[in-house]
Structure formats: C-alpha cells, structure tokens
Amino acid sequence: MNQHKIFTMPFASVYPHYVKKAERKGRTKSEVDHVIFWLTGYNKEQLDIVLTEKTNFETFFKNAPQLNPNVSKITGVICGHRDEDIEDPLMQKIRYLDKLIDELAKGKPMEKILRS
C-alpha cells in the first residue's frame, strides 16, 4: 500500500484492528486508548470525534493536541523499517503508533510502553 493511501485512510478503519490485536493478547481497549492518548495528547471525547467523523491519518496526526515529548524514545523496527530512520514525519508518527500497539500486544508493561 502506498503512503498516500495510508495517509488518507480513516483512522476509524484501523482502530478496531489495534483493539482486536491487543485484546487477542489479553490487553484491553482502554489500554489501547491510553497509548493513543499518551502519543497524541487526544482525550476520550476527542478520540470519539475522530472515530465518528472518520478522520484520516493525516488529519488525525495534524490535529493531535500534542505529540508526546518522549516520542524520540520510541526506537526499533516496525514493518521492516527502523522507526527513527523513517524520513516522512507523518509515516514516522503512524509507525510509532504501530510500534506502541505491538508492544502492548506483546505484553510489555505499560510504564515501558509509555517510556516512563
């Protein structure tokens, strides 16, 4: 899938997959939301609006209240690419979220996922 398709894809179309992935591994929707809130600065009401309005990934990240200042601590490989080496800022943010959801699904403690 090319980047433009990912950027214009509604966040709401991927969100259930994040939740399902986490729940299959014994984690909760609430934990998925917590990770999203940590990364983006959104709160529950704002996330609900994003999901209802079918906001695309580009707008989701562009309108994020505040990217977490510890985002640079998210390192590693996701989808075959090192997070810190991804040049497109939007794709990097999408991969950061993918990485956090993967860590959640793998059972990492929340304090490690949130780089506390």
Side-chain angles (χ1 to χ4, degrees):
M1 180 177 296
N2 69 36
Q3 285 185 352
H4 182 71
K5 279 188 177 183
I6 293 170
F7 296 168
T8 59
M9 181 183 300
F11 182 79
S13 69
V14 178
Y15 176 78
H17 297 286
Y18 290 150
V19 172
K20 188 181 217 178
K21 181 176 191 170
E23 288 178 342
R24 274 195 317 260
K25 299 294 186 165
R27 302 309 282 258
T28 66
K29 177 183 177 293
S30 176
E31 288 175 307
V32 171
D33 290 350
H34 190 77
V35 166
I36 293 169
F37 302 156
W38 177 88
L39 178 64
T40 63
Y42 281 108
N43 62 34
K44 171 126 181 56
E45 294 77 25
Q46 292 165 321
L47 180 60
D48 288 345
I49 291 168
V50 164
L51 296 172
T52 301
E53 294 181 354
K54 297 186 178 2
T55 303
N56 66 37
F57 269 96
E58 184 172 21
T59 304
F60 172 77
F61 279 108
K62 185 175 111 191
N63 293 344
Q66 180 178 343
L67 204 61
N68 192 290
N70 286 333
V71 73
S72 63
K73 294 180 179 180
I74 302 171
T75 58
V77 177
I78 188 75
C79 300
H81 301 282
R82 291 207 64 78
D83 289 339
E84 58 273 22
D85 294 340
I86 297 171
E87 292 184 16
D88 184 283
L90 177 56
M91 183 55 71
Q92 189 175 48
K93 291 171 190 164
I94 293 169
R95 295 302 182 207
Y96 283 154
L97 181 54
D98 290 345
K99 176 78 172 167
L100 296 175
I101 299 298
D102 278 357
E103 290 176 356
L104 183 66
K106 288 179 180 174
K108 263 193 166 184
M110 193 60 90
E111 58 274 2
K112 289 196 185 239
I113 295 168
L114 303 183
R115 295 0 191 216
S116 315

